[in-house]
Amino acid sequence: MNLDYNIVIGGKAGQGLQTISDALSKLFLRGGYEVFTSQDYMSRVRGGHNFFMIRVSDRPVSAQKPKIDLLIALDQETIDLHWPDLEPEAFVFYDGESIHLSREDKRLVSIPWDQIASTIGGNTIFANTIAVGACCGLLNFDLGLLAGLLQEAFAKKDPKIVETNLKCAKAGYELTKNLKSRITIQSGKTSGKMYINGSEAIGLGAIASGVKFYSGYPMTPSTGILNYLAGKSDEFGIVVEQAEDEIAAINFVAGASFAGVRAMTATSGGGFCLMTEGVSLIGCIETPAVLVLGQRPGPSTGLPTRTEQGDLEFALSAGQGEFPRFIFAPRTPEDAFYLTQKAFNLADKYQVLSIIMSDQHLADSGWTLAKFDPDKIKIERYLLNEQELAGLKEYRRYDLSETGVSPRTIPGASRHLVIADSDEHDRQGHITEDLHWREEIVKKRLVKYKYMQEEISLPIKYGDNAAETVLIGWGSTYGAMKEAVDLLNAKNRKVAMLHFNELWPLPVEYLSRELSKYDNIVAVENNATAQFMRIISGQTGILSTHKILRFNGQPFYPQLIVDLFQKEVITYGDR
Amino acid sequence: MVTAKDFTGEESAWCPGCGNFGILTALQKALAELNLEPQQVLLVSGIGQASKLPHYARGHVFNGLHGRAIPPAIAAKLVNHELNVIITDGDGGTYGEGGNHFIHALRRNPDITLIVHNNQVYGLTKGQASPTTDQGVVTKIQAHGVPVPAFNPLAVAIALNASFVARGFVGEPEHLKNLIKEGIQHKGLSLIDVLQPCVSFNKINTYQWYRQRAYKLPGDYDPKNKAGAMEKANEWGDHIPLGVLYLNPRLVYEEQIPVLKNGPLVKQKIDTSKIVKVLEEFC
Ligand SMILES: Cc1ncc(C[n+]2csc(CCOP(=O)(O)OP(=O)(O)O)c2C)c(N)n1
Ligand code: SF4
Ligand SMILES: [Mg+2]
């Protein structure tokens, strides 16, 4: 990797950090670079310490790195907190008029952006643009691309705003262009890639899958999906219903799906608690639905704006009784886009709930990724067609079949009546207490598992072919783990990784075979107890030898995994 | 010609003499007289004795969770507003377990008929107090009498500017049938709270008890007068008014959703070709 540059923008909530971060991320994307932008913010609307971290590279990146090359500090706290992480050749941009520092250091560069903004634009609101311009000046990054961005953002509102912003950007640029930066980032040809976060990707994936009904109750970090779909509802003909609570949300989804359209909800742990009876309802009435569980650290309200992989076992067991479900865990937004369609198609095929496990890290981080290909999306509904319906003398919604999947139609599609009941029900769907039949219908629901398991794609295997140690992970840890494997193998640690994005039903036979090849089995999870490993152990009888866990609310980064690996896995003799 | 017989369903498991039979009959007749076919009707319920009704009638059925009849009913209406959506649920389910949905359904005003079998008791779980059990009534659980005043669903509905608020009584079958017909024809949420004797667990609010107190609102009663309606809603005890207490025609929920102007959601073509354009927003 030639270019690997890390910019942190820090300050209080409400200071416009996101605006600066979005502008810079898009600029680098358009200049032909890869970025990975993560955010760390406190659960408050104003104040606190918040920061965005933009990692710019000429190779794909999908994880943070801790060392900082450029710190854009909108308050003093940002400088104090991030000071230890500054590279020796780093720069810190701050407004020396409002921040009075006692320390002296050649890395500190005061840019009085409030004053400049007031002089040029008559308003400190333009200070953020000066910061962006200063960043471009330092890196020698062409301002032409910024002009384009500003044009798109403000031209419709007021061309004068574009002009003032450009003047401000140039002022910032001039102040920093002669600084000796470790690196210059010249804008090149655009890569044709896109810049997107996990929430938007799941929303887009749902749209591409033909979702027609979405219901949710706001809860970080799932709210991004609600926001995204609400913004697109008119354009794509989607009913987006903000429910009175999560119980309503999932019951809305069950009703909408029963009535015939693809339906989805998203929530986080607390909301999912309220949804569990609905999860079981969907299992009982065999009505397809998709549920996105955006995880954040629990228990209870926990850390609302931070990340964790702490709800997997809960998702697996949520809801009374025994019934099958799918669980997916996208690695990146690109993966999320395509997995969302798989979740919908398989939910329809097996008439079950598909749960997509996301987390704050996936939901809020921005990636540069190959542009999604909508042509790869196929919508498969598995409903009886007109001829089949016309040919049916009598329709029984819950007829037995080899695969456990019964013929499905919807109210109004034909003269046949459609019955669904949360009580145990007969073939037609009517309430029954026939205990012999009860056994039959339980078996019918559960036999689906066998076929569902065959739909699951195996994990990605990456790293050393002759590995002695395997790292096992799932979901949003992919980027950090993959890079960590490279770093470890560069030190000849003989490491491979198995990384899962389709978790349940678990590919048990494959795992039993594969895991027996390694001396060390290391669970790498963003939680405190290695939940996925425990599930694997329960199914295969194979235990992990080591665990690398992080549960402080922040995601892994590659070097951290390497450091923990040295500590946990490498014995003293090896060191 | 459709007849009430066309709405005959499974054999019932209700106690002989239960007030639920009267509601079932009134509903079957109302549907037939409105010349609706079973395929045009979606019956939604939760869990309880009242909630078993959909199985004993004929139509599409969504018999969901206890207290959760309203959300799937609204969703089904949003997805296919050509269906006649009718909820039949208990007082416990609607006013207790599902109280939040009740409140917000009244605010939304979807074109749904909500028939609440108000037996002032939890029937299926054998006789505990429900939100509408009168203060002081002794039950196995409330051995010293229910300590708090009863929930007044009609007053709450009127306070929330519900569009159709009515009370029926199983002992007035013709009147009840007509109320249900009116409710189905009304555009918007029609709340029909039905006095329904539970012969097994409510030994106080019997047929006779209701008959002695219930009276039909006079012909010159003005249901559009909110203050008057509120006064009637608060009448309980010696005199219990029957009929449409409050009428407040207002915008129907599904008609305010722009997407539904193009016809029922379920019939709309899925066109994802515009995705290509949307992808540009991320470049
Ligand atoms: C979540 C949940 N809690 C409790 C129950 C048990 N339960 C079933 S019906 C019912 C009360 C029924 O009362 P009501 O709604 O008035 O109906 P009725 O039987 O009187 O017609 C209760 C508490 C349940 N099925 N689900
Ligand atoms: S318990 Fe009461 S409400 Fe239930 S069927 Fe018997 S009489 Fe009717
Ligand atoms: Mg009751």
Side-chain angles (χ1 to χ4, degrees):
Chain A
M1 208 174 288
N2 292 324
L3 175 69
D4 193 359
Y5 194 80
N6 206 23
I7 304 171
V8 167
I9 306 131
K12 297 184 186 16
Q15 281 189 313
L17 305 173
Q18 174 118 38
T19 319
I20 300 177
S21 166
D22 284 352
L24 287 174
S25 301
K26 268 254 165 102
L27 282 181
F28 294 129
L29 167 76
R30 291 189 181 180
Y33 295 91
E34 308 271 345
V35 296
F36 176 81
T37 304
S38 51
Q39 44 180 294
D40 187 302
Y41 56 101
M42 298 175 75
S43 182
R44 48 199 280 183
V45 176
R46 299 261 159 205
H49 176 66
N50 302 273
F51 64 92
F52 284 76
M53 192 179 255
I54 306 175
R55 188 174 169 195
V56 194
S57 177
D58 48 9
R59 314 264 172 89
V61 274
S62 50
Q64 303 173 335
K65 69 168 203 162
K67 288 289 175 196
I68 301 170
D69 296 297
L70 171 62
L71 180 64
I72 299 176
L74 301 190
D75 65 356
Q76 165 131 21
E77 198 184 359
T78 298
I79 299 175
D80 297 339
L81 282 172
H82 295 281
W83 192 260
D85 296 326
L86 290 174
E87 293 277 11
E89 296 172 301
F91 286 102
V92 180
F93 292 170
Y94 72 106
D95 187 337
E97 301 286 315
S98 55
I99 300 174
H100 304 287
L101 297 174
S102 51
R103 64 176 106 228
E104 275 182 38
D105 193 294
K106 67 173 174 31
R107 292 175 293 186
L108 290 165
V109 179
S110 168
I111 301 171
W113 40 58
D114 274 356
Q115 203 187 66
I116 303 173
S118 301
T119 313
I120 297 176
N123 195 326
T124 56
I125 203 168
F126 299 103
N128 290 339
T129 313
I130 297 168
V132 173
C135 178
C136 293
L138 175 72
L139 301 171
N140 257 319
F141 194 86
D142 182 10
L143 271 190
L145 287 176
L146 180 61
L149 264 191
L150 291 167
Q151 194 78 23
E152 284 164 33
F154 301 113
K156 271 199 203 121
K157 270 192 226 154
D158 184 355
K160 276 233 308 269
I161 298 182
V162 180
E163 213 175 290
T164 313
N165 268 302
L166 262 181
K167 272 193 203 150
C168 288
K170 279 196 188 120
Y173 191 96
E174 290 300 320
L175 284 175
T176 58
K177 71 174 187 197
N178 293 324
L179 291 170
K180 291 259 170 309
S181 169
R182 172 172 76 87
I183 261 169
T184 62
I185 303 184
Q186 256 118 39
S187 75
K189 272 227 301 263
T190 80
S191 57
K193 289 196 168 185
M194 61 194 289
Y195 173 74
I196 189 166
N197 70 30
S199 292
E200 293 161 339
I202 291 174
L204 259 184
I207 293 173
S209 305
V211 74
K212 283 273 152 200
F213 188 94
Y214 179 92
S215 180
Y217 186 89
M219 186 168 187
T220 308
S222 69
T223 316
I225 301 172
L226 174 64
N227 291 342
Y228 189 73
L229 286 176
K232 295 288 172 217
S233 62
D234 288 350
E235 198 174 344
F236 288 95
I238 303 164
V239 169
V240 176
E241 178 72 33
Q242 185 181 322
E244 54 268 31
D245 54 38
E246 287 86 349
I247 302 176
I250 193 155
N251 281 282
F252 270 123
V253 163
S257 175
F258 168 84
V261 299
R262 282 195 157 171
M264 171 165 122
T265 183
T267 186
S268 188
F272 187 60
C273 290
L274 297 184
M275 289 187 180
T276 51
E277 200 189 5
V279 167
S280 182
L281 168 71
I282 287 169
C284 181
I285 63 176
E286 302 181 55
T287 295
V290 173
L291 185 157
V292 183
L293 176 49
Q295 300 163 99
R296 66 192 218 187
S300 193
T301 309
L303 291 169
T305 57
R306 300 312 212 290
T307 201
E308 193 154 285
Q309 298 183 308
D311 295 336
L312 179 58
E313 285 178 314
F314 178 33
L316 187 59
S317 62
Q320 69 270 38
E322 299 165 298
F323 56 91
R325 71 196 76 194
F326 282 109
I327 299 182
F328 301 98
R331 302 179 176 113
T332 64
E334 184 181 16
D335 197 25
F337 178 76
Y338 296 110
L339 266 187
T340 301
Q341 79 147 341
K342 186 162 184 180
F344 271 107
N345 282 342
L346 290 182
D348 269 345
K349 186 169 180 184
Y350 292 95
Q351 303 173 11
V352 295
L353 179 69
S354 285
I355 299 176
I356 299 175
M357 305 291 289
S358 164
D359 53 37
Q360 185 267 334
H361 182 56
L362 176 73
D364 295 341
S365 299
W367 268 259
T368 38
L369 297 163
K371 218 197 262 179
F372 303 161
D373 182 0
D375 287 342
K376 285 198 194 152
I377 301 282
K378 299 274 174 295
I379 299 175
E380 292 155 352
R381 296 297 314 274
Y382 303 97
L383 291 166
L384 291 173
N385 64 32
E386 255 172 65
Q387 272 164 318
E388 290 168 323
L389 283 165
L392 277 179
K393 245 186 100 192
E394 195 190 352
Y395 171 63
R396 289 189 298 252
R397 173 68 185 85
Y398 298 99
D399 251 346
L400 298 182
S401 75
E402 192 191 322
T403 59
V405 178
S406 308
R408 179 164 173 250
T409 185
I410 58 176
S414 69
R415 67 195 163 81
H416 296 297
L417 297 177
V418 187
I419 320 289
D421 189 0
S422 74
D423 295 283
E424 198 54 281
H425 38 262
D426 61 19
R427 270 165 231 258
Q428 247 150 352
H430 288 300
I431 178 169
T432 183
E433 293 196 37
D434 174 338
L435 301 186
H436 169 71
W437 169 254
R438 151 74 185 174
E439 280 189 351
E440 292 301 310
I441 194 161
V442 169
K443 282 192 242 164
K444 158 200 157 33
R445 285 190 289 253
L446 291 177
V447 77
K448 291 180 195 175
Y449 254 129
K450 197 174 113 204
Y451 302 90
M452 287 165 64
Q453 198 160 38
E454 288 164 14
E455 306 277 359
I456 291 288
S457 306
L458 295 179
I460 286 182
K461 193 171 159 183
Y462 179 78
D464 194 332
N465 278 332
E468 294 159 4
T469 300
V470 65
L471 307 184
I472 299 182
W474 58 283
S476 72
T477 56
Y478 176 70
M481 283 182 68
K482 184 169 176 234
E483 224 179 300
V485 167
D486 290 340
L487 292 170
L488 287 165
N489 283 335
K491 290 191 207 159
N492 211 11
R493 291 295 183 201
K494 292 197 167 21
V495 168
M497 100 172 157
L498 284 183
H499 200 276
F500 290 75
N501 65 345
E502 303 188 12
L503 308 187
W504 194 260
L506 196 71
V508 179
E509 265 176 48
Y510 164 82
L511 273 167
S512 301
R513 243 183 302 121
E514 182 65 27
L515 292 184
S516 63
K517 296 179 188 163
Y518 304 95
D519 299 336
N520 298 314
I521 297 173
V522 187
V524 182
E525 299 190 38
N526 223 175
N527 58 44
T529 62
Q531 295 190 14
F532 184 49
M533 192 64 226
R534 194 154 50 237
I535 293 166
I536 293 176
S537 299
Q539 297 287 313
T540 62
I542 300 173
L543 302 174
S544 63
T545 54
H546 305 84
K547 297 185 182 95
I548 292 179
L549 306 172
R550 191 177 208 205
F551 47 92
N552 71 342
Q554 292 181 310
F556 282 112
Y557 53 88
Q559 190 58 44
L560 177 69
I561 296 176
V562 172
D563 294 346
L564 291 172
F565 186 91
Q566 308 280 31
K567 202 166 125 211
E568 303 288 333
V569 184
I570 306 295
T571 60
Y572 279 91
D574 281 352
R575 272 193 229 171
Chain B
M1 258 298 282
V2 191
T3 69
K5 267 220 169 87
D6 293 312
F7 289 96
T8 309
E10 308 284 295
E11 198 188 323
S12 111
W14 288 325
C15 311
C18 173
N20 282 328
F21 288 106
I23 300 179
L24 175 60
T25 308
L27 176 64
Q28 288 165 326
K29 284 189 178 156
L31 292 170
E33 286 180 22
L34 291 172
N35 217 10
L36 290 169
E37 307 265 351
Q39 298 93 287
Q40 297 173 286
V41 177
L42 169 62
L43 299 167
V44 184
S45 67
I47 294 297
Q49 296 287 43
S51 302
K52 291 178 183 166
L53 185 145
H55 299 282
Y56 308 151
R58 271 190 91 233
H60 303 290
V61 175
F62 190 99
N63 181 176
L65 297 168
H66 178 51
R68 316 295 169 202
I70 289 175
I74 296 178
K77 188 73 187 179
L78 291 173
V79 167
N80 187 352
H81 57 255
E82 286 174 350
L83 288 171
N84 290 277
V85 180
I86 299 167
I87 300 173
T88 66
D89 208 21
D91 47 326
T94 310
Y95 306 141
E97 187 89 336
N100 202 24
H101 312 311
F102 176 65
I103 290 171
H104 294 282
L106 292 167
R107 288 179 55 225
R108 286 189 181 98
N109 196 36
D111 188 12
I112 286 175
T113 308
L114 171 57
I115 303 174
V116 183
H117 304 214
N118 188 354
N119 53 9
Q120 300 187 253
V121 74
Y122 282 6
L124 188 64
T125 46
K126 302 194 166 49
Q128 302 84 0
S130 88
T132 52
T133 305
D134 285 323
Q135 190 166 17
V137 169
V138 173
T139 76
K140 246 193 294 182
I141 306 293
Q142 290 78 21
H144 304 292
V146 173
V148 292
F151 179 75
N152 186 332
L154 305 187
V156 168
I158 294 165
L160 287 171
N161 302 312
S163 67
F164 182 107
V165 182
R167 181 187 282 124
F169 171 39
V170 171
E172 293 286 352
E174 189 64 18
H175 179 261
L176 177 60
K177 178 203 74 188
N178 287 331
L179 273 187
I180 295 175
K181 275 172 76 177
E182 267 182 78
I184 293 172
Q185 283 173 307
H186 169 77
K187 280 254 156 253
L189 184 74
S190 348
L191 168 65
I192 308 174
D193 181 90
V194 185
L195 305 176
Q196 173 243 321
C198 165
V199 295
S200 297
F201 297 110
N202 191 336
K203 304 295 182 191
I204 295 172
N205 310 104
T206 59
Y207 280 97
Q208 201 192 356
W209 190 93
Y210 288 125
R211 206 163 269 136
Q212 281 165 353
R213 292 163 172 82
Y215 74 95
K216 289 180 206 145
L217 288 168
D220 61 355
Y221 174 77
D222 175 16
K224 297 205 168 154
N225 177 343
K226 188 172 177 182
M230 197 52 113
E231 206 172 296
K232 283 291 161 203
N234 280 311
E235 207 174 295
W236 183 262
D238 292 343
H239 303 282
I240 304 174
L242 301 179
V244 180
L245 274 70
Y246 188 50
L247 255 186
N248 172 33
R250 64 180 173 99
L251 274 178
V252 169
Y253 192 52
E254 18 339 336
E255 287 173 2
Q256 295 173 72
I257 297 176
V259 168
L260 300 184
K261 299 226 159 39
N262 310 322
L265 199 62
V266 69
K267 290 189 181 164
Q268 290 183 26
K269 280 261 168 318
I270 292 170
D271 177 12
T272 53
S273 61
K274 279 178 285 180
I275 290 254
V276 179
K277 206 187 89 213
V278 171
L279 288 175
E280 291 305 317
E281 294 167 10
F282 297 96
C283 294

